[in-house]
Amino acid sequence: MIIETIEFSNFRNYVSEATVFHEKVNIITGKNAQGKTNLIEAINLLSMGKSFRTRKESEMIRFGEVSCLVKGMFLKQGRPYGTAVELRVNGHGGGSGSGHGGGGKAHTYFVNGAEMLSVADILGGVYTVVFSPEDLRIVKGEPEVRRRFLDRGLILLRPLYYHKLKQYRAVLKSRNALLKAERVSIDLIDIYDEQLAAAGAAVMEERFRHTSALSAAAKRADAMLTDEKESIEIGYRPNIAAEKAEDAKEIFGETLRRGRERDLLMKSTEAGPHRDDLSLVVDGKDLRTYGSQGQQRTAAIALRLAEKELVRQETGEEAILLLDDVMSELDADRQGRLLERFGANQIFVTAAVLDEKAAAALGAVKFIRIEEGKVI
Ligand SMILES: Nc1ncnc2c1ncn2[C@@H]1O[C@H](COP(=O)(O)OP(=O)(O)OP(=O)(O)O)[C@@H](O)[C@H]1O
Ligand SMILES: [Mg+2]
C-alpha cells in the first residue's frame, strides 16, 4: 500500500498544498517548526481519522480558520483508494447536513468520495505506522500512554474493537454517574455490573490476544535491532486478577461485587480495564525503571516495528511507515539495521538536518523540502 498524493487546505500551518509522493522513500527536510511533523500527522490522519499528537481535533485547523480538509489518494493492491477528513470548529457550517442540532458535526470522513457515518468506517482502509520521539513515553510514561498504544494498535487492526471500547466506556460512565447519585439503587448497580463485566471482558479478551502477538513480533524486532544482544518481553497486565481471556468476565464481575462498597465510597469504579497496563521487560529487567536511554528508545522502535508486522500478518498489507525524527536518536549500527529492514516499503522520514549517509542507504528517494507550511 502506498500514498500517491496528498492535498490539504488550512491544515496546521499549511494554507493550501498538493504533493505527489515517491512510491518508496520520501525524505522530508526543513528547519524546525516549518511543518514536517504536520505532514506526517496529515498522512496518519487519513488512516486513523485521528491525530497521533492531540486529542483536540480543532488544534489541527489553521489558526483563524473554521475548517480544514485533508485528502489522500492511495494505491491499495494496485487499485486507487481515497480517504479524506474534514474538520470543523464546532458550530461552523453544517458540512453534509447530517450534523446534530444547530452546531453541525466537527468532523466528516470520506472513503472513495462517500461520506462515512463514523470514524470507525474509515478504519481498516489504510494502514500507517508512525514512529516518533514521543513513543519513548510508551516505555517511560504512565500506564495511560501504554493503554493508548495498545488501543490504537488494536483499533487499526480490528475496527470492531473501536466499538467494544466505546461500549465499555459508555457503561463505565453510566456506572460512575450512578455511584455519584444521592440514592443508589442496588438493583441498578447489579445490572450495570453485569453489563460492565461483559463489556470489559470483551475489551480484555482483545488485549490478551493482541499483546501476545505483539510480544512475539517485538521480540523479533528487538533481536534484529540489537543484533540478538537483547530480548524484550511485553506482557499484558490487566488491572483485575485475570490470567487469561476466558476468565476475564467472571473475575471482573467478582471484582466489581467485592469492590462495590469501596466504589460507593469513592463514587467511582476503581477496578477494570480502564486501569490496565503493559509490562516491558528486557533481559529480565523492567525497562521503565532499569533500561538505559538507548534500550528504551530501541524498545519504543521495536514496539512500532511489531505493530507494522502485525498489520502484515493480520491483513496482508504493508503499512506506510512514517518516521518522525527518530533516526537521529539511534547509533549508526541500529540506524543501518532499521533502514535495511524498511527496504521494501513506502517510507517517510523527517529530519531537520539530513544525514547524507543514511539517505544514501535508502536508495531511490524524493526529497521534500518544507518551509513555513509550504512544499518548496
Ligand atoms: N493550527 C495551527 N495553525 C497554524 N499553525 C500551526 C497550527 N498548529 C501548529 N502550527 C504551527 O506549525 C509549526 C510546527 O510544525 P511542525 O510541528 O510540523 O514542525 P517541524 O517542521 O516538525 O519542526 P521540528 O523540526 O521542530 O520538529 C509551528 O510553528 C506551529 O506554530
Ligand atoms: Mg517535528
Side-chain angles (χ1 to χ4, degrees):
M1 154 167 314
I2 62 166
I3 177 165
E4 294 193 300
T5 61
I6 196 166
E7 279 176 53
F8 37 57
S9 54
N10 296 327
F11 180 81
R12 295 277 188 190
N13 65 336
Y14 292 86
V15 178
S16 168
E17 195 60 63
T19 306
V20 180
F21 297 124
H22 191 278
E23 61 179 350
K24 285 276 187 281
V25 182
N26 295 272
I27 296 188
I28 301 161
T29 63
K31 293 190 182 139
N32 293 135
Q34 303 302 303
K36 301 184 297 297
T37 303
N38 294 346
L39 180 56
I40 296 288
E41 184 183 33
I43 297 171
N44 179 247
L45 178 69
L46 291 168
S47 90
M48 297 294 289
K50 307 237 181 222
S51 167
F52 75 92
R53 289 206 281 188
T54 177
R55 267 188 268 187
K56 261 185 82 187
E57 291 187 328
S58 57
E59 258 178 44
M60 290 182 274
I61 302 169
R62 189 176 155 82
F63 302 140
E65 300 291 337
V66 294
S67 70
C68 78
L69 178 68
V70 181
K71 226 169 127 177
M73 278 311 297
F74 298 80
L75 258 191
K76 193 180 169 182
Q77 286 161 353
R79 273 197 287 265
Y81 184 89
T83 67
V85 178
E86 187 180 352
L87 304 172
R88 284 176 294 277
V89 170
N90 243 329
H92 277 276
S96 322
S98 51
H100 322 272
K105 284 195 300 178
H107 42 230
T108 317
Y109 308 95
F110 300 88
V111 173
N112 292 329
E115 185 179 334
M116 299 290 109
L117 281 175
S118 114
V119 65
D121 301 323
I122 83 159
L123 296 168
V126 172
Y127 299 101
T128 63
V129 175
V130 186
F131 295 68
S132 111
E134 289 280 290
D135 292 346
L136 203 51
R137 292 180 51 225
I138 303 169
V139 179
K140 294 172 72 162
E142 298 304 309
E144 191 201 341
V145 187
R146 283 180 289 282
R147 277 198 301 277
R148 204 180 314 137
F149 163 74
L150 197 60
D151 287 342
R152 289 201 143 213
L154 259 163
I155 284 170
L156 182 69
L157 287 169
R158 305 199 164 205
L160 209 61
Y161 179 75
Y162 176 84
H163 296 287
K164 293 183 180 175
L165 199 58
K166 211 169 151 185
Q167 170 72 10
Y168 176 71
R169 286 182 179 151
V171 184
L172 181 66
K173 200 171 159 197
S174 306
R175 187 179 192 265
N176 285 340
L178 183 68
L179 293 170
K180 288 182 179 64
E182 289 280 317
R183 285 185 52 222
V184 182
S185 148
I186 295 304
D187 286 349
L188 206 50
I189 296 202
D190 280 339
I191 293 171
Y192 277 136
D193 283 6
E194 174 68 29
Q195 286 182 7
L196 196 65
V203 167
M204 286 184 272
E205 276 165 22
E206 297 272 15
R207 288 179 178 174
F208 267 112
R209 192 197 50 79
H210 184 64
T211 311
S212 91
L214 200 66
S215 184
K219 196 179 267 184
R220 286 191 289 277
D222 192 57
M224 182 273 295
L225 286 170
T226 62
D227 203 17
E228 317 263 315
K229 287 191 181 65
E230 286 169 11
S231 180
I232 193 171
E233 304 268 352
I234 302 169
Y236 176 40
R237 293 282 166 271
N239 170 258
I240 63 157
E243 275 163 24
K244 50 186 197 299
E246 299 76 58
D247 301 340
K249 184 165 178 229
E250 204 187 318
I251 294 180
F252 190 20
E254 178 60 31
T255 309
L256 286 170
R257 265 189 301 283
R258 272 192 283 117
R260 185 176 288 182
E261 288 300 315
R262 182 198 55 191
D263 283 358
L264 281 164
L265 212 63
M266 307 291 288
K267 298 188 183 300
S268 89
T269 306
E270 298 293 297
H274 56 292
R275 298 272 160 84
D276 283 353
D277 201 354
L278 290 176
S279 66
L280 302 167
V281 173
V282 165
D283 295 338
K285 288 185 278 295
D286 180 60
L287 252 190
R288 191 182 178 194
T289 321
Y290 298 106
S292 76
Q293 194 85 288
Q295 281 179 318
Q296 291 175 336
R297 287 195 169 125
T298 305
I301 292 173
L303 288 176
R304 292 300 182 193
L305 283 172
E307 253 184 0
K308 179 187 172 295
E309 195 184 316
L310 292 194
V311 169
R312 185 197 299 125
Q313 273 174 24
E314 297 191 16
T315 73
E317 294 279 355
E318 293 292 342
I320 298 164
L321 297 174
L322 306 169
L323 271 64
D324 191 25
D325 273 334
V326 284
M327 285 300 170
S328 50
E329 303 195 335
L330 294 175
D331 68 33
D333 285 356
R334 289 182 188 201
Q335 265 188 28
R337 277 195 284 275
L338 191 63
L339 292 178
E340 259 170 49
R341 176 66 172 249
F342 289 152
N345 297 110
Q346 187 184 34
I347 174 172
F348 292 77
V349 181
T350 71
V353 258
L354 182 71
D355 177 41
E356 299 286 339
K357 221 179 104 199
L362 288 166
V365 294
K366 173 170 179 176
F367 292 94
I368 298 168
R369 201 170 161 74
I370 309 237
E371 227 175 84
E372 290 178 24
K374 279 197 184 63
V375 175
I376 54 166

